[in-house]
Amino acid sequence: MSRSARDRRRDNRADSEPTRRKAPAFLRRSIPAYELLDEESLLRLEDHAEWLLSEIGIEIRDDAEALRLFEQAGARVDGELLRFERGQVRELCRTAPATFTMHARNPANNIEFGGSNLIFGSAYGSPFVTDLKGGRRYGRLEDFQNFIKLTYMSPWLHHQSGTICEPVDVAVNKRHLDMVYAHLRYSDKPFMGSVTAPERAEDSLAMAGIVFGEEFMQQNLVIQGNINVNSPLVYDNTMTAALRTYAAANQGNVISPFIMGGAMSPVTQPAIIAQAHAEVMVGIALTQLVRPGAPVVYGSFLTTMDLRSGAPTFGTPESTLATLAISQLSRRMGLPFRCGGHLTASKVADAQAMMESTNAMNPAIMAGANFIFQAAGWLESGLTIGYEKFVMDAEQCGAIARVVDGLQVDEDQLAVDAYREVGVGTNFLGVGHTMRHYRHANFQAELSDATPFEQWTEAGSKDMQQRAYELWNRKLEEYQAPALDPALDQALLDFIAGRKASMTDAWY
Amino acid sequence: MSRSARDRRRDNRADSEPTRRKAPAFLRRSIPAYELLDEESLLRLEDHAEWLLSEIGIEIRDDAEALRLFEQAGARVDGELLRFERGQVRELCRTAPATFTMHARNPANNIEFGGSNLIFGSAYGSPFVTDLKGGRRYGRLEDFQNFIKLTYMSPWLHHQSGTICEPVDVAVNKRHLDMVYAHLRYSDKPFMGSVTAPERAEDSLAMAGIVFGEEFMQQNLVIQGNINVNSPLVYDNTMTAALRTYAAANQGNVISPFIMGGAMSPVTQPAIIAQAHAEVMVGIALTQLVRPGAPVVYGSFLTTMDLRSGAPTFGTPESTLATLAISQLSRRMGLPFRCGGHLTASKVADAQAMMESTNAMNPAIMAGANFIFQAAGWLESGLTIGYEKFVMDAEQCGAIARVVDGLQVDEDQLAVDAYREVGVGTNFLGVGHTMRHYRHANFQAELSDATPFEQWTEAGSKDMQQRAYELWNRKLEEYQAPALDPALDQALLDFIAGRKASMTDAWY
């Protein structure tokens, strides 16, 4: 193992011990990526994506500028339907950078996309929130702020995601202002802005500009838009307009086809994978047509549905295979890759929730994903974010940090001295080697209970959900906001007040 | 993909649809094994195992015959401590078969060990049982029988394991008779016999002989012993005597060092892995000294402990890495490999239980394990087997069956006709391709709930544990015993009556 791999290994460590080491701003993988498919299968998937783009085509709705850009680049345009020569879209993606830095308000929290880097981010997009005592209800701005605070406090979450939950108590046309403010005020890690309308993307950019400086933003990535595809094979103008807004400002986009096989694609996984590959390439190409070199992430969000009821399902074996396979396609593009997350259809943070979430997350880790948001809080197929689930998931991200750190097989780790000290048949609890290593040898999970049954019973027979309830409440009590220059804070508040005064409330 | 891989794929499929296909008696992997470590690291681990065996040594306690066999094979014997030349133990393992068949009472349930085969078995060894309504209590014979019945009914469990739970209501020196009887009477899949004393191993062999025929057993594997090591680097005579009994009868052994790092080994993973490798090789070598060619499984059971409390912990990132690495060592030995399981320290079938279990199982699957018992029911670090946990885990084994089946990238799976039928922007629910595939495209989980929140609430807001309670009760109500020739049944009962009459009850 190289020197730099060892340094990375050291960087990745953190735990809740008294001698706590600073958690890293992001992770670096020291383990190989799993290769599910052979070359022949990969070529066939790539070929099928090219067939889809050349024969079936892809539609961009109500966005004349996007159509113009593609036509100018050589696409065949038929109304709003675009068709491409084989290899043409992939060629347009070539200017996208393989790796790039995203700047945080606190430079210590800057993150690196691509390569062997791994970034965890919070959930995104739930209209509902739930907790053990309060039950399920619509999300409010206070919930949104709470999840930003919990993200800020977690050493295992590196990115604040964007719309962690919908603050339904704020008007639809104004809530992006309060969300971006919360991102900037209550935490200091990287985050995403609004994509629900071009002017909201512009507001997000303007607020980032107040804090980071507009000149800095011309050359540096500080904010991203999360772009979904209207699968099968359609981009709508809301998404393409937001995409163009961020790309034009040299800011970031994460392009993620969300495909439930059998509905937004055929039901068979190879078709789903190839379709997603085709769709995401078109989004990436559009960012590069708007601004060559604009930072963009190759995303995918592939899952299954219960084919009897039509309900989406997560952490399923078919989605595991799809995640493993599409990661190989993204690696062949040489772009930062997003997939996975702690995903589940369960309504509560029960056995199903963590079984499905673990199953949804593990293939992304094995596949070598670079960016995994939706990594903390997801419940009910994304309709709900749960407080208990959030802290469970975040801790799992900590365990994963240890996995991607890998093993270092050297004399110290092989413990030659320990065997010389005790020989056979004696335990190693007290030997010097154990004493030297016990603080940092193992990841210490705070929420997992390993106490004897009697002790657990005396402590109230609390299951993980109950312990998680106590943990997130304690965390919120302990929260202290990161410093923000009062002048910048005031400038943000003034900007928000001005924008809000210019609009009447819209509630849909 | 080859024709035979396609056949395997078809074999692996089963679901709960009306058009249910017969589940296979075991699985065949169509996906590659994950390679965590590079050649240099693997060589270093192997070298360290050889160093342990040559310099530190390994002890076999109170078993003169085992010492004699090793001395005769060239070991240096110092009292009960054995030391070996480098490479000597590994050389002794060479006669162990790379693959072998294990016969079930029902030949349709015969299983194949080694190669690309994968076998799931139930939990093993818990003194306690628990269920949602009855709570935790000592296991009884009725519980033991119930778990045999549930194993029999699960299409996803291929092996009945052995002491699924301890029937504490039967005397210690007699309970093996009732357990082997239950294995033979209430199910017809492969199983393990007693290892707690040589005469109990003999009884297990005798009862298997009644059903399978003694002549058949001379050439065919029908029963196994599960052999643990008294780590660090000690075998006790109970285990070696049972091992020798099964091997002498040309029956099977599964050799599994159970190592909690920091106690039974140094705390660092590379040391744990190398030590386990050394220990298991000695057990395998002993089977081959007793009878060259005797079927044996290279097992490992490596986990961590909470280094503050000394409690064992499961599904931890360190154990994930150890499982991935030791699987590579076993593959280089060319022997069937056992590791993993649905393992947890949780007391109940909650979020922690399934999160840890999934994390403990996934690396075994990625690592290419051939035999995974402890795959259904484990709770509380193995002290308890849970009814709800059992059915949750069993269903997960079904999901894994789909994962190891892999992807087949061909024209039908790529759904060319489906795209030609619908084009862009239309859903695929009704197309011919979906109709052709929807029954078998996805694994159908019975216990995972994906219904809308309102429907779930109306059905009583049941979490997975509550649904699992209903499922196992329904399964036991529906249970019907497989046929057993009444003459054989009577012969078994007569044998048991005779043996029981010859002993006074012992309770410890």
Side-chain angles (χ1 to χ4, degrees):
Chain A
M1 178 165 290
S2 68
R3 179 75 212 162
S4 70
R6 265 201 298 280
D7 290 344
R8 279 184 221 159
R9 174 179 322 285
R10 199 168 302 124
D11 291 348
N12 279 2
R13 288 214 181 117
D15 58 40
S16 53
E17 290 289 332
T19 58
R20 177 173 174 164
R21 306 179 194 186
K22 174 84 177 78
F26 60 100
L27 306 175
R28 289 200 180 104
R29 295 172 58 90
S30 300
I31 64 173
Y34 180 72
E35 303 286 349
L36 176 71
L37 296 179
D38 59 16
E39 179 71 15
E40 185 188 339
S41 298
L42 293 169
L43 286 171
R44 191 138 194 202
L45 288 170
E46 288 172 339
D47 179 71
H48 194 61
E50 297 293 347
W51 174 79
L52 285 169
L53 293 174
S54 64
E55 180 155 330
I56 304 297
I58 192 161
E59 214 166 84
I60 298 187
R61 293 185 177 160
D62 294 325
D63 189 337
E65 172 62 7
L67 291 175
R68 189 190 65 76
L69 286 166
F70 275 117
E71 183 160 32
Q72 192 177 299
R76 285 170 285 144
V77 181
D78 178 7
E80 295 184 317
L81 188 70
L82 298 168
R83 288 196 183 86
F84 300 89
E85 298 300 312
R86 283 173 177 265
Q88 195 174 21
V89 180
R90 189 163 178 149
E91 186 60 34
L92 292 174
C93 297
R94 288 207 190 278
T95 52
T99 60
F100 50 82
T101 302
M102 185 171 186
H103 294 264
R105 182 159 78 76
N106 177 352
N109 291 331
N110 291 357
I111 56 181
E112 303 284 337
F113 281 82
S116 63
N117 302 307
L118 172 58
I119 296 158
F120 287 121
S122 303
Y124 189 115
S126 301
F128 299 103
V129 302
T130 192
D131 76 90
L132 188 58
K133 301 292 162 69
R136 178 179 179 269
R137 70 271 179 185
Y138 276 106
R140 297 182 309 265
L141 185 58
E142 186 191 350
D143 294 304
F144 186 93
Q145 293 165 346
N146 283 342
F147 285 114
I148 297 281
K149 292 173 182 175
L150 291 171
T151 303
Y152 170 69
M153 295 179 84
S154 171
W156 311 117
L157 297 173
H158 316 112
H159 189 295
Q160 291 159 202
S161 183
T163 307
I164 299 191
C165 67
E166 284 286 345
V168 172
D169 51 343
V170 183
V172 167
N173 57 339
K174 296 178 177 175
R175 62 178 68 146
H176 65 287
L177 299 163
D178 292 329
M179 288 194 277
V180 174
Y181 179 75
H183 277 297
L184 289 165
R185 179 73 195 85
Y186 299 113
S187 186
D188 58 8
K189 298 178 180 179
F191 68 97
M192 293 173 177
S194 177
V195 292
T196 53
E199 66 274 16
R200 296 176 201 155
E202 294 286 3
D203 284 343
S204 303
L205 288 166
M207 290 176 72
I210 290 171
V211 172
F212 288 93
E214 289 181 10
E215 200 177 340
F216 184 83
M217 280 177 64
Q218 283 166 22
Q219 297 304 324
N220 295 287
L221 171 63
V222 306
I223 191 167
Q224 293 164 306
N226 177 36
I227 306 300
N228 285 129
V229 184
N230 198 354
S231 305
L233 299 165
V234 173
Y235 277 85
D236 67 43
N237 69 338
T238 306
M239 285 291 135
T240 51
L243 178 155
R244 290 190 291 100
T245 305
Y246 284 105
N250 204 21
Q251 296 301 305
N253 282 288
V254 182
I255 318 286
S256 302
F258 167 48
I259 302 184
M260 258 202 318
M264 291 99 101
S265 77
V267 72
T268 45
Q269 296 302 316
I272 298 167
I273 296 158
Q275 180 186 316
H277 187 58
E279 290 174 347
V280 71
M281 282 200 298
V282 169
I284 292 167
L286 182 54
T287 65
Q288 301 306 301
L289 289 173
V290 171
R291 174 135 179 179
V296 60
V297 174
Y298 179 120
S300 79
F301 194 99
L302 308 183
T303 200
T304 42
M305 64 178 186
D306 181 330
L307 291 163
R308 296 163 300 195
S309 69
T313 49
F314 297 91
T316 57
E318 297 80 17
S319 66
T320 289
L321 292 165
T323 298
L324 291 170
I326 200 168
S327 75
Q328 295 179 276
L329 297 184
S330 79
R331 217 162 18 250
R332 289 155 74 95
M333 297 278 291
L335 294 177
F337 178 53
R338 174 248 166 158
C339 68
H342 279 130
L343 313 175
T344 179
S346 185
K347 284 71 177 172
V348 288
D350 66 346
Q352 178 186 345
M354 290 314 282
M355 182 189 84
E356 291 180 348
S357 292
T358 307
N359 276 327
M361 179 59 94
N362 273 330
I365 300 303
M366 298 309 282
N370 298 121
F371 182 33
I372 304 177
F373 68 103
Q374 308 288 21
W378 240 63
L379 284 172
E380 201 193 336
S381 306
L383 284 177
T384 298
I385 181 169
Y387 280 90
E388 291 80 23
K389 178 73 164 30
F390 189 95
V391 292
M392 291 180 194
D393 288 343
E395 187 164 276
Q396 264 299 289
C397 291
I400 293 166
R402 178 68 190 88
V403 171
V404 301
D405 213 24
L407 292 178
Q408 186 177 358
V409 182
D410 62 19
E411 185 163 330
D412 182 48
Q413 291 277 309
L414 289 168
V416 171
D417 60 323
Y419 290 104
R420 291 216 164 107
E421 189 174 338
V422 302
V424 306
T426 315
N427 83 56
F428 288 78
L429 288 169
V431 305
H433 183 271
T434 305
M435 301 313 282
R436 276 205 316 280
H437 285 277
Y438 89 93
R439 278 179 195 277
H440 298 291
N442 295 347
F443 176 72
Q444 300 282 5
E446 198 168 356
L447 279 170
S448 282
D449 181 277
T451 58
F453 183 80
E454 294 70 22
Q455 188 177 335
W456 176 77
T457 309
E458 278 163 28
S461 303
K462 289 172 191 158
D463 69 10
M464 194 185 223
Q465 198 170 198
Q466 293 168 298
R467 299 192 299 273
Y469 176 83
E470 293 170 5
L471 179 62
W472 71 259
N473 275 281
R474 193 169 72 242
K475 289 276 177 199
L476 285 182
E477 279 167 26
E478 292 169 359
Y479 169 80
Q480 291 187 305
L484 175 65
D485 178 342
L488 293 181
D489 191 18
Q490 194 55 52
L492 287 169
L493 294 171
D494 291 346
F495 177 86
I496 293 169
R499 290 292 293 133
K500 284 192 174 179
S502 75
M503 297 181 272
T504 52
D505 286 0
W507 288 99
Y508 51 87
Chain B
M1 177 164 294
S2 68
R3 179 73 213 162
S4 71
R6 265 201 298 280
D7 290 345
R8 280 183 220 161
R9 176 178 321 286
R10 199 169 302 125
D11 290 348
N12 280 1
R13 289 211 182 120
D15 58 40
S16 53
E17 290 288 332
T19 58
R20 175 175 177 163
R21 307 178 194 186
K22 173 85 178 77
F26 59 101
L27 306 174
R28 289 200 180 103
R29 295 171 59 90
S30 300
I31 64 173
Y34 180 71
E35 303 286 349
L36 176 72
L37 296 180
D38 59 16
E39 179 71 15
E40 185 189 338
S41 297
L42 293 169
L43 286 171
R44 191 139 193 200
L45 288 170
E46 288 173 338
D47 179 71
H48 193 60
E50 297 293 348
W51 175 80
L52 285 169
L53 293 173
S54 63
E55 181 157 330
I56 304 298
I58 191 161
E59 213 167 84
I60 298 187
R61 292 185 177 159
D62 293 326
D63 189 337
E65 173 62 9
L67 291 175
R68 189 190 67 75
L69 286 166
F70 275 117
E71 184 161 28
Q72 192 177 298
R76 285 170 284 145
V77 181
D78 178 7
E80 296 185 315
L81 189 70
L82 299 168
R83 287 197 184 86
F84 299 89
E85 298 299 312
R86 283 171 177 266
Q88 197 175 19
V89 180
R90 187 161 180 151
E91 187 58 34
L92 293 173
C93 297
R94 288 207 191 278
T95 52
T99 60
F100 51 82
T101 301
M102 185 171 186
H103 293 264
R105 182 159 79 76
N106 178 352
N109 291 331
N110 291 358
I111 56 180
E112 303 283 337
F113 281 83
S116 63
N117 302 308
L118 173 57
I119 297 157
F120 286 121
S122 304
Y124 189 115
S126 301
F128 299 103
V129 303
T130 192
D131 77 88
L132 188 58
K133 301 290 161 68
R136 178 179 179 268
R137 71 273 180 184
Y138 276 106
R140 296 182 310 264
L141 185 58
E142 186 190 351
D143 294 304
F144 186 92
Q145 293 165 346
N146 283 343
F147 285 115
I148 297 281
K149 293 172 183 176
L150 291 171
T151 303
Y152 170 69
M153 296 179 82
S154 171
W156 310 117
L157 297 174
H158 316 112
H159 190 295
Q160 291 160 205
S161 184
T163 307
I164 299 192
C165 67
E166 285 285 346
V168 172
D169 52 343
V170 183
V172 167
N173 57 338
K174 296 178 178 174
R175 65 177 65 147
H176 64 287
L177 299 163
D178 292 329
M179 287 194 278
V180 173
Y181 178 75
H183 277 298
L184 288 165
R185 180 72 195 87
Y186 300 113
S187 186
D188 58 8
K189 298 178 181 181
F191 68 98
M192 293 175 178
S194 177
V195 291
T196 54
E199 66 274 17
R200 295 176 200 154
E202 294 287 4
D203 285 343
S204 303
L205 289 166
M207 290 176 71
I210 290 170
V211 173
F212 288 93
E214 288 182 11
E215 200 177 341
F216 184 81
M217 279 176 66
Q218 282 166 23
Q219 298 303 326
N220 295 288
L221 171 63
V222 307
I223 190 168
Q224 293 164 306
N226 177 35
I227 306 300
N228 284 130
V229 185
N230 198 354
S231 306
L233 298 165
V234 174
Y235 277 85
D236 67 43
N237 69 338
T238 306
M239 285 291 134
T240 52
L243 177 157
R244 288 190 293 102
T245 304
Y246 284 105
N250 205 21
Q251 296 300 306
N253 282 289
V254 182
I255 319 284
S256 301
F258 167 48
I259 303 184
M260 257 202 321
M264 292 99 100
S265 77
V267 71
T268 45
Q269 296 302 316
I272 299 168
I273 296 158
Q275 180 186 316
H277 187 57
E279 291 175 346
V280 72
M281 281 200 298
V282 170
I284 292 166
L286 182 55
T287 66
Q288 300 307 300
L289 288 173
V290 171
R291 172 135 180 178
V296 60
V297 174
Y298 178 119
S300 78
F301 194 99
L302 309 183
T303 199
T304 42
M305 64 177 187
D306 181 329
L307 292 163
R308 296 163 299 195
S309 69
T313 49
F314 297 92
T316 56
E318 296 80 17
S319 66
T320 289
L321 292 166
T323 298
L324 292 170
I326 199 166
S327 74
Q328 294 179 276
L329 297 184
S330 79
R331 213 159 24 247
R332 288 155 76 94
M333 296 278 292
L335 294 177
F337 177 53
R338 173 250 166 154
C339 67
H342 279 130
L343 313 174
T344 179
S346 186
K347 283 73 178 170
V348 288
D350 65 345
Q352 178 185 344
M354 291 314 283
M355 181 189 84
E356 291 181 347
S357 292
T358 307
N359 276 327
M361 179 60 94
N362 273 330
I365 300 305
M366 299 308 282
N370 299 120
F371 182 33
I372 304 178
F373 69 103
Q374 309 288 22
W378 240 64
L379 284 172
E380 201 194 335
S381 307
L383 284 177
T384 298
I385 180 168
Y387 280 90
E388 291 80 24
K389 178 73 162 33
F390 190 95
V391 292
M392 291 180 194
D393 287 343
E395 187 165 276
Q396 264 299 288
C397 291
I400 293 166
R402 178 67 191 88
V403 171
V404 301
D405 213 25
L407 292 178
Q408 186 175 357
V409 183
D410 62 21
E411 184 162 331
D412 182 47
Q413 291 278 309
L414 288 168
V416 170
D417 60 323
Y419 290 104
R420 290 217 165 105
E421 190 174 339
V422 302
V424 307
T426 315
N427 84 55
F428 288 77
L429 288 170
V431 305
H433 182 271
T434 305
M435 301 313 281
R436 277 205 315 281
H437 285 277
Y438 88 93
R439 278 180 194 276
H440 298 291
N442 295 347
F443 175 73
Q444 300 282 2
E446 198 167 356
L447 279 171
S448 281
D449 180 278
T451 58
F453 183 82
E454 295 68 23
Q455 188 178 336
W456 176 77
T457 308
E458 277 162 29
S461 303
K462 290 173 191 158
D463 69 11
M464 192 185 224
Q465 199 170 198
Q466 293 168 298
R467 299 192 299 271
Y469 176 84
E470 293 170 5
L471 179 61
W472 71 258
N473 275 281
R474 192 169 72 243
K475 289 277 177 198
L476 285 182
E477 279 168 25
E478 293 170 358
Y479 169 80
Q480 291 187 304
L484 175 64
D485 179 343
L488 293 182
D489 192 18
Q490 194 55 53
L492 287 170
L493 293 171
D494 291 346
F495 178 86
I496 293 170
R499 291 292 293 135
K500 284 192 173 177
S502 75
M503 297 180 273
T504 52
D505 286 0
W507 289 99
Y508 52 86

